[in-house]
Amino acid sequence: MDFELNDEQRAIQEMAQSFAAEQLAPNALEWDQTGTFPDEVVRSVGELGLAGIYVREDVGGSGLGRLDAALVFEALATGCPTIGSFISIHNMCAWMIDRFGTEEQRQEWVPKLCSMELVASYCLTEPGSGSDAAALKTKAQTSGNGWKLNGAKSFISGGDYSDLYIAMVRTGEDGPKGISAVLVEKGAEGLSFGAQEKKMGWRAQPTSEVRFDDCAIPGDHLLGEEGKGFRYAMAGLDGGRINIAAGALGGAQCALDKAVAYAKERSAFGQPIANFQSLQFKLADMETELQAARVFLYQAASKLDAGSPDATKFCAMAKRFVTDVSFRVANEALQIHGGYGYLADYGVEKIVRDLRVHQILEGTNEIMRMIVARHLLAEH
Protein backbone atom coordinates (compact mmCIF):
# COMPACT_ATOMS: atom_id res chain seq x y z
CA MET A 1 0.00 0.00 0.00
CA ASP A 2 1.30 3.42 -0.99
CA PHE A 3 0.72 5.97 1.75
CA GLU A 4 2.54 8.79 -0.02
CA LEU A 5 0.73 11.54 -1.91
CA ASN A 6 1.71 11.96 -5.54
CA ASP A 7 3.01 15.23 -6.95
CA GLU A 8 -0.42 16.36 -8.18
CA GLN A 9 -2.02 15.67 -4.80
CA ARG A 10 0.72 17.56 -2.99
CA ALA A 11 0.22 20.50 -5.34
CA ILE A 12 -3.54 20.50 -4.71
CA GLN A 13 -2.96 20.31 -0.97
CA GLU A 14 -0.44 23.14 -1.01
CA MET A 15 -2.75 25.37 -3.05
CA ALA A 16 -5.59 24.85 -0.57
CA GLN A 17 -3.23 25.40 2.38
CA SER A 18 -2.01 28.68 0.87
CA PHE A 19 -5.59 29.85 0.31
CA ALA A 20 -6.47 28.93 3.90
CA ALA A 21 -3.43 30.74 5.32
CA GLU A 22 -3.84 33.87 3.21
CA GLN A 23 -7.61 34.26 2.81
CA LEU A 24 -9.25 32.44 5.74
CA ALA A 25 -7.03 32.33 8.83
CA PRO A 26 -6.36 36.10 9.14
CA ASN A 27 -10.09 36.90 9.26
CA ALA A 28 -11.66 33.76 10.76
CA LEU A 29 -11.95 35.12 14.31
CA GLU A 30 -13.51 38.39 13.18
CA TRP A 31 -16.01 36.59 10.94
CA ASP A 32 -16.95 34.33 13.85
CA GLN A 33 -17.39 37.19 16.32
CA THR A 34 -19.43 39.38 13.97
CA GLY A 35 -21.34 36.60 12.23
CA THR A 36 -20.03 37.83 8.88
CA PHE A 37 -20.17 35.53 5.87
CA PRO A 38 -17.28 36.36 3.48
CA ASP A 39 -19.16 36.18 0.19
CA GLU A 40 -16.32 37.32 -2.08
CA VAL A 41 -13.78 35.01 -0.45
CA VAL A 42 -16.10 32.00 -0.72
CA ARG A 43 -16.99 32.64 -4.35
CA SER A 44 -13.32 33.12 -5.24
CA VAL A 45 -12.68 29.38 -4.79
CA GLY A 46 -14.37 28.88 -8.16
CA GLU A 47 -11.31 30.42 -9.82
CA LEU A 48 -9.13 27.82 -8.11
CA GLY A 49 -11.22 24.89 -9.29
CA LEU A 50 -12.38 24.11 -5.77
CA ALA A 51 -16.13 24.48 -6.31
CA GLY A 52 -16.56 21.33 -8.41
CA ILE A 53 -13.65 19.21 -7.25
CA TYR A 54 -15.10 15.82 -8.19
CA VAL A 55 -17.37 17.08 -10.95
CA ARG A 56 -16.66 16.00 -14.54
CA GLU A 57 -14.54 18.35 -16.62
CA ASP A 58 -16.97 18.76 -19.54
CA VAL A 59 -19.19 20.96 -17.33
CA GLY A 60 -16.37 22.92 -15.69
CA GLY A 61 -15.43 20.56 -12.89
CA SER A 62 -11.90 19.65 -11.84
CA GLY A 63 -12.45 15.93 -12.46
CA LEU A 64 -10.59 14.91 -9.31
CA GLY A 65 -11.37 12.22 -6.74
CA ARG A 66 -12.70 12.01 -3.20
CA LEU A 67 -9.21 11.65 -1.75
CA ASP A 68 -8.20 14.86 -3.52
CA ALA A 69 -11.29 16.53 -2.05
CA ALA A 70 -10.42 15.30 1.44
CA LEU A 71 -6.99 16.88 1.10
CA VAL A 72 -8.60 20.16 0.05
CA PHE A 73 -11.16 20.32 2.85
CA GLU A 74 -8.64 19.29 5.48
CA ALA A 75 -6.38 22.12 4.28
CA LEU A 76 -9.17 24.72 4.11
CA ALA A 77 -10.25 23.88 7.67
CA THR A 78 -6.81 24.77 9.02
CA GLY A 79 -7.80 28.33 8.14
CA CYS A 80 -11.48 28.12 9.14
CA PRO A 81 -13.58 24.95 9.56
CA THR A 82 -16.77 26.99 9.15
CA ILE A 83 -15.98 28.29 5.67
CA GLY A 84 -14.26 25.08 4.55
CA SER A 85 -17.36 23.08 5.48
CA PHE A 86 -19.66 25.49 3.64
CA ILE A 87 -17.59 25.00 0.48
CA SER A 88 -17.72 21.22 0.98
CA ILE A 89 -21.54 21.25 1.06
CA HIS A 90 -21.61 23.27 -2.17
CA ASN A 91 -19.31 20.68 -3.76
CA MET A 92 -21.65 17.88 -2.71
CA CYS A 93 -24.57 19.64 -4.39
CA ALA A 94 -22.63 20.25 -7.61
CA TRP A 95 -21.68 16.56 -7.71
CA MET A 96 -25.27 15.42 -7.18
CA ILE A 97 -26.48 17.36 -10.22
CA ASP A 98 -23.49 16.20 -12.28
CA ARG A 99 -24.01 12.57 -11.23
CA PHE A 100 -27.79 12.24 -11.22
CA GLY A 101 -29.15 15.11 -13.29
CA THR A 102 -30.26 14.91 -16.89
CA GLU A 103 -27.79 16.10 -19.53
CA GLU A 104 -29.81 19.30 -19.83
CA GLN A 105 -29.61 19.87 -16.07
CA ARG A 106 -25.87 19.21 -16.08
CA GLN A 107 -25.26 21.72 -18.84
CA GLU A 108 -27.57 24.36 -17.36
CA TRP A 109 -26.56 24.30 -13.71
CA VAL A 110 -23.19 22.68 -13.12
CA PRO A 111 -20.91 25.13 -14.98
CA LYS A 112 -22.38 28.00 -12.93
CA LEU A 113 -21.85 26.01 -9.71
CA CYS A 114 -18.25 25.20 -10.62
CA SER A 115 -17.48 28.86 -11.29
CA MET A 116 -19.32 29.87 -8.10
CA GLU A 117 -21.61 32.12 -10.12
CA LEU A 118 -24.23 30.12 -8.24
CA VAL A 119 -23.95 28.70 -4.71
CA ALA A 120 -25.99 25.64 -3.73
CA SER A 121 -27.47 24.25 -0.51
CA TYR A 122 -28.51 20.71 0.42
CA CYS A 123 -31.97 20.38 2.00
CA LEU A 124 -32.75 17.05 3.64
CA THR A 125 -33.34 17.53 7.38
CA GLU A 126 -36.79 18.59 8.57
CA PRO A 127 -38.13 19.79 11.95
CA GLY A 128 -39.64 16.34 12.59
CA SER A 129 -37.19 14.10 10.73
CA GLY A 130 -33.50 14.48 11.41
CA SER A 131 -31.86 11.08 11.77
CA ASP A 132 -34.99 9.39 10.39
CA ALA A 133 -34.56 11.12 7.04
CA ALA A 134 -36.79 8.66 5.16
CA ALA A 135 -39.76 9.95 7.20
CA LEU A 136 -39.56 13.42 5.65
CA LYS A 137 -42.95 15.11 5.05
CA THR A 138 -42.23 17.96 2.62
CA LYS A 139 -44.50 17.21 -0.34
CA ALA A 140 -44.25 17.91 -4.05
CA GLN A 141 -47.41 17.60 -6.11
CA THR A 142 -47.79 18.03 -9.84
CA SER A 143 -49.31 21.36 -10.82
CA GLY A 144 -49.84 21.95 -14.52
CA ASN A 145 -46.44 21.48 -16.14
CA GLY A 146 -44.60 21.88 -12.86
CA TRP A 147 -44.60 21.06 -9.17
CA LYS A 148 -45.86 22.71 -6.00
CA LEU A 149 -43.90 22.14 -2.79
CA ASN A 150 -45.16 22.38 0.78
CA GLY A 151 -43.11 21.84 3.92
CA ALA A 152 -39.95 23.03 5.63
CA LYS A 153 -36.29 22.08 5.93
CA SER A 154 -34.23 22.75 9.07
CA PHE A 155 -30.60 23.66 9.80
CA ILE A 156 -29.86 24.48 6.16
CA SER A 157 -26.36 25.83 5.57
CA GLY A 158 -26.74 28.70 3.13
CA GLY A 159 -30.40 29.24 3.99
CA ASP A 160 -31.48 32.67 2.65
CA TYR A 161 -28.08 33.06 0.98
CA SER A 162 -27.66 30.32 -1.62
CA ASP A 163 -28.86 30.65 -5.20
CA LEU A 164 -30.00 27.04 -5.62
CA TYR A 165 -31.48 24.50 -3.19
CA ILE A 166 -31.47 20.73 -3.74
CA ALA A 167 -34.47 19.56 -1.71
CA MET A 168 -35.61 16.02 -0.94
CA VAL A 169 -39.40 15.92 -1.17
CA ARG A 170 -42.12 13.31 -1.06
CA THR A 171 -43.73 12.65 -4.43
CA GLY A 172 -45.13 9.20 -3.64
CA GLU A 173 -45.66 6.60 -0.93
CA ASP A 174 -44.30 6.69 2.61
CA GLY A 175 -40.70 5.59 3.08
CA PRO A 176 -37.59 6.07 0.97
CA LYS A 177 -39.11 4.95 -2.36
CA GLY A 178 -41.56 7.86 -2.35
CA ILE A 179 -38.85 10.52 -2.17
CA SER A 180 -37.60 12.59 -5.10
CA ALA A 181 -35.05 15.39 -5.40
CA VAL A 182 -35.90 18.79 -6.85
CA LEU A 183 -34.03 21.98 -7.72
CA VAL A 184 -35.43 25.20 -6.27
CA GLU A 185 -34.05 28.57 -7.33
CA LYS A 186 -33.86 31.48 -4.93
CA GLY A 187 -36.69 33.83 -5.76
CA ALA A 188 -39.13 31.01 -6.58
CA GLU A 189 -42.71 31.87 -5.73
CA GLY A 190 -43.60 30.45 -2.31
CA LEU A 191 -39.98 30.02 -1.15
CA SER A 192 -39.13 31.76 2.13
CA PHE A 193 -36.68 31.47 4.99
CA GLY A 194 -36.70 31.52 8.77
CA ALA A 195 -34.54 33.79 10.90
CA GLN A 196 -30.81 33.11 10.95
CA GLU A 197 -30.06 30.55 13.65
CA LYS A 198 -27.92 31.54 16.63
CA LYS A 199 -25.35 28.77 16.87
CA MET A 200 -22.64 27.52 19.22
CA GLY A 201 -20.17 27.34 16.32
CA TRP A 202 -20.11 27.84 12.55
CA ARG A 203 -21.17 31.41 13.32
CA ALA A 204 -19.76 32.85 10.09
CA GLN A 205 -22.03 30.61 8.04
CA PRO A 206 -25.67 31.50 7.29
CA THR A 207 -28.03 28.81 8.62
CA SER A 208 -31.81 28.97 8.57
CA GLU A 209 -35.02 27.10 7.97
CA VAL A 210 -36.06 26.84 4.30
CA ARG A 211 -39.82 26.97 3.81
CA PHE A 212 -42.04 25.96 0.92
CA ASP A 213 -45.59 27.36 0.83
CA ASP A 214 -47.17 26.31 -2.47
CA CYS A 215 -43.69 26.88 -3.85
CA ALA A 216 -43.89 26.64 -7.63
CA ILE A 217 -41.07 25.11 -9.66
CA PRO A 218 -40.96 24.05 -13.33
CA GLY A 219 -41.37 20.39 -14.27
CA ASP A 220 -37.79 20.12 -15.49
CA HIS A 221 -36.52 20.97 -11.99
CA LEU A 222 -37.07 17.37 -10.87
CA LEU A 223 -33.51 16.08 -10.41
CA GLY A 224 -32.97 12.82 -12.26
CA GLU A 225 -35.78 10.30 -11.87
CA GLU A 226 -38.87 10.50 -9.68
CA GLY A 227 -38.65 8.22 -6.64
CA LYS A 228 -34.84 8.08 -6.67
CA GLY A 229 -34.26 11.09 -4.41
CA PHE A 230 -33.46 9.17 -1.25
CA ARG A 231 -30.85 7.11 -3.07
CA TYR A 232 -29.33 10.30 -4.47
CA ALA A 233 -29.29 11.86 -1.01
CA MET A 234 -27.57 8.87 0.57
CA ALA A 235 -24.98 8.69 -2.22
CA GLY A 236 -24.25 12.36 -1.67
CA LEU A 237 -23.82 11.76 2.04
CA ASP A 238 -21.08 9.15 1.58
CA GLY A 239 -18.86 11.86 0.13
CA GLY A 240 -20.29 14.51 2.45
CA ARG A 241 -19.22 12.45 5.45
CA ILE A 242 -15.67 12.25 4.13
CA ASN A 243 -15.67 16.02 3.60
CA ILE A 244 -17.00 16.80 7.07
CA ALA A 245 -14.48 14.44 8.66
CA ALA A 246 -11.70 16.12 6.67
CA GLY A 247 -12.87 19.51 7.93
CA ALA A 248 -12.77 18.28 11.52
CA LEU A 249 -9.28 16.88 10.99
CA GLY A 250 -7.97 20.16 9.59
CA GLY A 251 -9.44 22.13 12.47
CA ALA A 252 -7.94 19.74 15.01
CA GLN A 253 -4.55 19.94 13.30
CA CYS A 254 -4.66 23.73 13.62
CA ALA A 255 -5.54 23.40 17.32
CA LEU A 256 -2.65 20.99 17.88
CA ASP A 257 -0.23 23.32 16.09
CA LYS A 258 -1.38 26.17 18.33
CA ALA A 259 -0.92 23.98 21.42
CA VAL A 260 2.64 23.02 20.45
CA ALA A 261 3.59 26.66 19.81
CA TYR A 262 2.00 27.75 23.10
CA ALA A 263 3.76 25.00 25.07
CA LYS A 264 7.12 26.22 23.80
CA GLU A 265 6.38 29.87 24.64
CA ARG A 266 4.60 29.55 27.99
CA SER A 267 6.81 29.20 31.06
CA ALA A 268 5.88 27.88 34.50
CA PHE A 269 8.05 26.96 37.45
CA GLY A 270 11.07 28.46 35.71
CA GLN A 271 10.90 26.61 32.39
CA PRO A 272 8.77 26.20 29.24
CA ILE A 273 5.80 23.95 29.94
CA ALA A 274 6.88 21.93 26.87
CA ASN A 275 9.63 20.51 29.10
CA PHE A 276 7.12 18.80 31.38
CA GLN A 277 6.77 15.11 30.58
CA SER A 278 3.06 15.04 31.39
CA LEU A 279 2.42 17.65 28.72
CA GLN A 280 4.76 15.92 26.27
CA PHE A 281 2.75 12.71 26.70
CA LYS A 282 -0.47 14.63 26.04
CA LEU A 283 0.95 16.14 22.84
CA ALA A 284 2.28 12.75 21.72
CA ASP A 285 -1.15 11.16 22.15
CA MET A 286 -2.83 14.01 20.26
CA GLU A 287 -0.40 13.66 17.34
CA THR A 288 -0.78 9.87 17.28
CA GLU A 289 -4.57 10.04 17.27
CA LEU A 290 -4.67 12.61 14.47
CA GLN A 291 -2.26 10.57 12.33
CA ALA A 292 -4.37 7.45 12.85
CA ALA A 293 -7.51 9.40 11.95
CA ARG A 294 -5.81 10.76 8.82
CA VAL A 295 -4.87 7.31 7.52
CA PHE A 296 -8.39 6.03 8.21
CA LEU A 297 -9.94 9.01 6.43
CA TYR A 298 -7.73 8.67 3.37
CA GLN A 299 -8.49 4.94 3.21
CA ALA A 300 -12.25 5.58 3.24
CA ALA A 301 -11.90 8.27 0.56
CA SER A 302 -9.84 5.87 -1.57
CA LYS A 303 -12.54 3.21 -1.26
CA LEU A 304 -15.16 5.71 -2.39
CA ASP A 305 -12.98 6.60 -5.39
CA ALA A 306 -12.57 2.91 -6.24
CA GLY A 307 -16.29 2.17 -5.91
CA SER A 308 -15.57 -0.51 -3.32
CA PRO A 309 -18.67 -2.39 -2.12
CA ASP A 310 -17.78 -1.56 1.50
CA ALA A 311 -17.23 2.16 0.81
CA THR A 312 -20.41 3.25 2.63
CA LYS A 313 -19.37 1.36 5.76
CA PHE A 314 -15.88 2.87 5.68
CA CYS A 315 -17.23 6.39 5.10
CA ALA A 316 -19.47 5.97 8.15
CA MET A 317 -16.64 4.55 10.28
CA ALA A 318 -14.28 7.32 9.23
CA LYS A 319 -16.83 10.04 9.86
CA ARG A 320 -17.52 8.75 13.37
CA PHE A 321 -13.90 8.10 14.31
CA VAL A 322 -12.31 11.18 12.78
CA THR A 323 -14.84 13.68 14.11
CA ASP A 324 -14.71 12.19 17.62
CA VAL A 325 -10.91 12.19 17.66
CA SER A 326 -10.72 15.70 16.21
CA PHE A 327 -13.05 17.17 18.80
CA ARG A 328 -11.13 15.45 21.59
CA VAL A 329 -7.79 16.76 20.30
CA ALA A 330 -9.14 20.31 19.93
CA ASN A 331 -10.52 20.15 23.47
CA GLU A 332 -7.12 18.97 24.79
CA ALA A 333 -5.45 21.84 22.92
CA LEU A 334 -7.72 24.25 24.77
CA GLN A 335 -6.78 22.59 28.06
CA ILE A 336 -3.07 23.03 27.31
CA HIS A 337 -3.68 26.75 26.86
CA GLY A 338 -5.23 26.88 30.33
CA GLY A 339 -7.27 30.01 30.98
CA TYR A 340 -6.01 31.61 27.79
CA GLY A 341 -7.59 28.80 25.79
CA TYR A 342 -10.97 29.92 27.06
CA LEU A 343 -10.44 33.40 25.61
CA ALA A 344 -11.42 34.19 22.04
CA ASP A 345 -8.06 35.84 21.26
CA TYR A 346 -6.15 32.58 20.87
CA GLY A 347 -8.61 31.02 18.44
CA VAL A 348 -8.73 27.62 20.12
CA GLU A 349 -12.17 27.94 21.69
CA LYS A 350 -13.56 28.80 18.23
CA ILE A 351 -12.17 25.55 16.84
CA VAL A 352 -13.71 23.58 19.72
CA ARG A 353 -17.10 25.22 19.07
CA ASP A 354 -16.86 24.70 15.32
CA LEU A 355 -15.85 21.03 15.52
CA ARG A 356 -18.62 20.05 17.91
CA VAL A 357 -21.22 20.09 15.13
CA HIS A 358 -19.11 17.77 12.95
CA GLN A 359 -20.16 14.96 15.29
CA ILE A 360 -23.82 15.73 14.49
CA LEU A 361 -24.28 16.71 10.85
CA GLU A 362 -24.25 14.50 7.74
CA GLY A 363 -25.68 11.84 10.05
CA THR A 364 -25.02 11.84 13.78
CA ASN A 365 -22.22 9.64 15.05
CA GLU A 366 -24.85 7.42 16.63
CA ILE A 367 -26.34 6.87 13.17
CA MET A 368 -22.84 6.11 11.86
CA ARG A 369 -22.64 3.29 14.40
CA MET A 370 -25.98 1.94 13.18
CA ILE A 371 -24.77 1.97 9.56
CA VAL A 372 -21.54 0.18 10.48
CA ALA A 373 -23.36 -2.42 12.58
CA ARG A 374 -25.91 -3.06 9.82
CA HIS A 375 -23.15 -3.69 7.28
CA LEU A 376 -21.16 -5.79 9.72
CA LEU A 377 -24.08 -8.04 10.54
CA ALA A 378 -24.99 -8.42 6.86
CA GLU A 379 -21.43 -9.56 6.06
CA HIS A 380 -21.48 -12.48 8.50
Side-chain angles (χ1 to χ4, degrees), residues 3-155:
F3 289 94
E4 291 300 315
L5 302 180
N6 61 39
D7 290 343
E8 183 183 13
Q9 288 169 329
R10 276 195 291 270
I12 292 166
Q13 186 182 52
E14 288 169 7
M15 176 184 66
Q17 287 171 339
S18 295
F19 181 84
E22 296 166 12
Q23 300 296 323
L24 301 183
N27 304 299
L29 278 177
E30 181 184 351
W31 295 334
D32 176 78
Q33 290 165 5
T34 60
T36 300
F37 182 71
D39 176 78
E40 289 187 14
V41 173
V42 170
R43 290 188 188 263
S44 72
V45 303
E47 301 169 10
L48 301 176
L50 302 183
I53 297 170
Y54 38 92
V55 165
R56 284 172 279 180
E57 294 176 278
D58 68 304
V59 283
S62 297
L64 300 173
R66 299 313 180 101
L67 176 56
D68 303 311
L71 298 174
V72 168
F73 295 124
E74 180 185 351
L76 292 180
T78 62
C80 180
T82 303
I83 302 305
S85 296
F86 186 91
I87 295 167
S88 82
I89 295 167
H90 170 89
N91 268 266
M92 180 172 71
C93 292
W95 174 81
M96 287 181 70
I97 300 175
D98 179 46
R99 175 68 180 81
F100 300 115
T102 63
E103 188 57 30
E104 291 75 16
Q105 289 170 338
R106 290 183 69 242
Q107 297 295 337
E108 179 180 357
W109 298 106
V110 182
K112 295 175 183 176
L113 294 171
C114 290
S115 68
M116 276 297 213
E117 178 185 341
L118 299 180
V119 174
S121 286
Y122 177 85
C123 304
L124 175 63
T125 299
E126 295 186 1
S129 60
S131 295
D132 186 11
L136 65 85
K137 297 189 183 308
T138 296
K139 285 191 176 179
Q141 295 175 306
T142 55
S143 175
N145 294 324
W147 299 86
K148 279 206 172 175
L149 317 182
N150 282 283
K153 299 292 181 177
S154 299
F155 311 123

Side-chain angles (χ1 to χ4, degrees), residues 320-336:
R320 199 286 300 168
F321 183 79
V322 175
T323 57
D324 281 351
V325 164
S326 297
F327 180 76
R328 187 162 63 245
V329 167
N331 200 42
E332 288 286 10
L334 190 155
Q335 187 72 14
I336 288 170

Side-chain angles (χ1 to χ4, degrees), residues 260-298:
V260 171
Y262 181 80
K264 289 180 176 181
E265 295 167 1
R266 178 80 163 96
S267 291
F269 306 103
Q271 58 183 312
I273 62 172
N275 291 351
F276 298 128
Q277 193 177 65
S278 60
L279 191 138
Q280 291 176 359
F281 284 2
K282 189 186 291 282
L283 290 173
D285 285 346
M286 293 160 72
E287 169 71 1
T288 302
E289 290 191 350
L290 283 192
Q291 292 295 353
R294 185 169 287 113
V295 172
F296 198 3
L297 175 66
Y298 292 178

Side-chain angles (χ1 to χ4, degrees), residues 154-371:
S154 299
F155 311 123
I156 304 305
S157 293
D160 202 16
Y161 167 80
S162 291
D163 307 293
L164 186 67
Y165 299 85
I166 300 181
M168 309 309 144
V169 297
R170 187 163 301 287
T171 55
E173 62 191 70
D174 290 343
K177 292 182 180 178
I179 295 172
S180 300
V182 296
L183 304 173
V184 185
E185 296 179 78
K186 190 171 187 180
E189 178 187 350
L191 174 66
S192 63
F193 307 92
Q196 287 297 310
E197 304 288 2
K198 296 178 173 64
K199 307 184 295 290
M200 173 181 173
W202 280 24
R203 291 180 180 174
Q205 183 191 114
T207 305
S208 75
E209 193 170 79
V210 176
R211 299 168 180 166
F212 309 109
D213 298 294
D214 281 338
C215 178
I217 62 171
D220 62 2
H221 281 38
L222 174 73
L223 180 63
E225 296 180 42
E226 186 175 346
K228 297 284 184 68
F230 192 75
R231 184 167 69 82
Y232 300 165
M234 294 303 103
L237 284 178
D238 277 345
R241 286 161 183 161
I242 293 293
N243 296 346
I244 286 299
L249 185 61
Q253 185 64 59
C254 179
L256 175 56
D257 293 345
K258 287 177 181 289
V260 171
Y262 181 80
K264 289 180 176 181
E265 295 167 1
R266 178 80 163 96
S267 291
F269 306 103
Q271 58 183 312
I273 62 172
N275 291 351
F276 298 128
Q277 193 177 65
S278 60
L279 191 138
Q280 291 176 359
F281 284 2
K282 189 186 291 282
L283 290 173
D285 285 346
M286 293 160 72
E287 169 71 1
T288 302
E289 290 191 350
L290 283 192
Q291 292 295 353
R294 185 169 287 113
V295 172
F296 198 3
L297 175 66
Y298 292 178
Q299 180 193 26
S302 297
K303 282 182 174 287
L304 196 55
D305 278 330
S308 299
D310 57 358
T312 292
K313 183 180 82 169
F314 271 80
C315 288
M317 288 194 295
K319 193 270 182 181
R320 199 286 300 168
F321 183 79
V322 175
T323 57
D324 281 351
V325 164
S326 297
F327 180 76
R328 187 162 63 245
V329 167
N331 200 42
E332 288 286 10
L334 190 155
Q335 187 72 14
I336 288 170
H337 281 76
Y340 290 108
Y342 203 66
L343 303 182
D345 310 52
Y346 284 74
V348 183
E349 61 86 33
K350 174 193 179 295
I351 296 173
V352 172
R353 287 188 287 104
D354 283 348
L355 296 199
R356 183 61 184 87
V357 77
H358 288 242
Q359 296 169 293
I360 297 171
L361 47 74
E362 309 290 35
T364 65
N365 284 3
E366 289 75 19
I367 292 295
M368 296 306 99
R369 290 178 171 90
M370 287 175 59
I371 293 170

